[in-house]
Amino acid sequence: MLTDLVTRALSQLMGAPLSQDRIKGRFRYAYASDDGQFVAILGHDLTTYVVDVPAQRYFAECGGSPRGFAGHVLEMEGLATQRRAWPAANELFDLDMDGEDISWRRCPGPQTHFDIQEGRTRAA
């Protein structure tokens, strides 16, 4: 079930349908809330992307790595490296998905692919 949720979340994040075989190796850790509403993915760029799957929105957290959900609260561990745009203020911290302080962004809509044939462009 987690793989299905991660595939769906990544598809929304990328704006294109992805199959499970295309996402292998693209993330380090993935966690889902018990109800499947939120999926947290630590990307290869050490950014944690949290996707609100039903609402098709996301936010990015560069200050730490996910450790799991307790309800709708994502437990995070701060990163010790100074390479991050904004290092974590605390070694351990929580992000409440239902809180007002989360800066959500809309996931990109499905991308339209174009084919060019005989000098004409048409949507595929």
Side-chain angles (χ1 to χ4, degrees):
M1 180 170 152
L2 179 61
T3 305
D4 293 337
L5 282 171
V6 171
T7 302
R8 187 171 169 199
L10 281 174
S11 295
Q12 290 179 359
L13 204 55
M14 302 296 290
L18 298 174
S19 61
Q20 292 178 12
D21 59 331
R22 288 188 58 201
I23 65 170
K24 290 180 182 173
R26 295 189 185 237
F27 57 90
R28 293 180 180 206
Y29 304 102
Y31 301 92
S33 60
D34 290 338
D35 62 2
Q37 180 176 351
F38 299 103
V39 175
I41 302 164
L42 180 62
H44 66 279
D45 61 352
L46 298 180
T47 300
T48 298
Y49 298 92
V50 181
V51 179
D52 181 346
V53 177
Q56 297 184 358
R57 60 185 185 168
Y58 78 99
F59 79 93
E61 170 63 50
C62 295
S65 61
R67 291 293 171 241
F69 278 94
H72 284 178
V73 175
L74 178 61
E75 298 170 348
M76 299 283 289
E77 182 176 348
L79 295 173
T81 62
Q82 297 299 321
R83 310 182 281 157
R84 304 308 306 145
W86 56 87
N90 300 304
E91 190 173 317
L92 298 172
F93 60 99
D94 294 333
L95 298 170
D96 184 358
M97 301 298 104
D98 296 324
E100 299 292 325
D101 55 341
I102 300 292
S103 179
W104 294 102
R105 300 179 193 171
R106 295 289 309 158
C107 288
Q111 303 295 317
T112 304
H113 300 283
F114 294 94
D115 288 338
I116 298 174
Q117 295 178 343
E118 300 176 25
R120 294 178 300 179
T121 303
R122 66 179 179 84

